[in-house]
Amino acid sequence: MGQDVSEVLPFSREDRIRYRQKVRRCLDVFALMLDDFGFDADRPTTGLEIELNLVDDDAEPAMRNAEVLDNLGDPTFQTELGKFNLELNARPRLIEGAGFADYERDLRESLGRAEELAVKSDATIILIGILPTLTPRHLVLDNLSRNKRYRVLNDQIVAARGEDIELDIRGVERLQTHTDSIASEAACTSLQFHLQVAPDSFANYWNASQAIAGVQVALGANSPFLHGRQLWAETRVALFEQATDTRPDELKAQGVRPRVWFGERWITSIFDLFEENVRYFPPLLPICDDEDPVEVLHNGGTPKLAELRLHNGTVYRWNRPVYDIMNGRPHLRVENRVLPAGPTVVDMLANAAFYFGLARDMAEGDRPIWSQLTFSAAEENFHAAARRGIDAVIAWPRLGQVRVTDLVLDVLLPRAAAGLDRFGVGAAHRDRLLGIIEQRCRTGRNGAVWQVEAVRAAERGRGMNRPQALRHMLQRYGELQRTDEPVHTWPVD
């Protein structure tokens, strides 16, 4: 969705009709390509995206991303929805051998450089799922990033809904509020993994990613607070689902699908997902490209499928299918979007190692997990994990209801290790990163647990009220984040 939309407004009825026709034309071409086109799938390249927050000296969100980006002048950093957000796109690479060490070195260098320039703008960088010091006065339309596409997207979502967006999140405490924009979505800062796969194996990798999404969220939860309330361990899931919902209550009652969507079935092809997107979701940004994909394909070229890709970018699946072109060759990726950012670089890489390894082992296993686990159970696991985090109990084949930590220690860690071995990851790197996951399970401590404990300690031990405790916790979080020691080792003081 990175293209400029300022020159095509307002959208007319003709724009929408033409776009719908073009999207379907792209879908037809994509089906032909899947049959016999030469996709780049020689080696399983991976990628990482990290969404960042900027805060000031008082641990309040700092609306300075434009200034920081201008000073950085680095295309690997981009805007995100809120003026207090940035996004870092790490260079794609293989994880065989010392690939994870490569990631770690690059991420530390990039974040270190960004931190130096943020400090010059009286800000600092925080890696966290939701900034606990955000309040409704921060999440307003005026605080959307200056890129025109965010305003247009907001206008289209609000217009499609036809009324204010309701937030109603019931967790340890309850949050009920309304908003007239999608600015609340800017509170959600995520860690996204990309895995390039061949067309004939895409379905296996997507199904595996869906099956383990709940486990990922339970282990990596890092978003327990919003607007001063303790809600879910990973409140980001509930907030994202509600903040971009284009459906009024009547359409929800009719069973219309939400745009933030877990899905509803296991698939047999990547085509299933793109076809669902076209069939179920009206366009939000009906912008047409000049390309005729049929003509390009007929002439032996690689179609951009711009409309299909743009539409795909406005359907927010937790595991999103991606069609992209690099160096003239098309490829397919699973984009895993379930995790929050943070707490540290090494924690995020541990999450990456667990995901990449487990997804590969399950995708290439003899008996697919999706032949044993119902899709509805996978979705229920996902939301149970978002609510309870590392204390969650989920359903698993042959085990019934099982604590996530027991499942990981007894069953999934060995499988993740086997999957990393298939990637050719060096044993020392494999053991170091999966060892962090193991210790999270043994200690029962992830980012969400630490945040809750730190706030309670500040409230009870220091006599602080909730806003003071949240500010104190976030300042301490920032100090510990910069040590890059994994969160399960952080002291609560």
Side-chain angles (χ1 to χ4, degrees), residues 328-360:
R329 291 190 68 188
H331 67 263
L332 306 177
R333 303 194 304 267
V334 178
E335 181 185 15
N336 178 258
R337 302 158 47 83
V338 305
L339 286 175
T344 65
V345 168
V346 73
D347 279 308
M348 292 187 291
L349 289 175
N351 292 337
F354 183 75
Y355 168 70
F356 288 136
L358 188 56
R360 180 156 189 176

Side-chain angles (χ1 to χ4, degrees), residues 377-432:
E379 184 174 13
E380 288 167 9
N381 287 346
F382 178 67
H383 286 100
R387 289 186 178 92
R388 296 294 308 279
I390 206 163
D391 293 326
V393 174
I394 64 173
W396 202 255
R398 297 192 299 277
L399 297 177
Q401 296 293 311
V402 59
R403 287 177 58 90
V404 164
T405 49
D406 292 338
L407 175 65
V408 172
L409 291 170
D410 296 341
V411 178
L412 300 184
L413 270 177
R415 296 195 65 173
L420 292 178
D421 288 344
R422 293 189 186 194
F423 277 109
V425 174
H429 304 292
R430 175 201 66 201
D431 294 345
R432 175 188 177 229

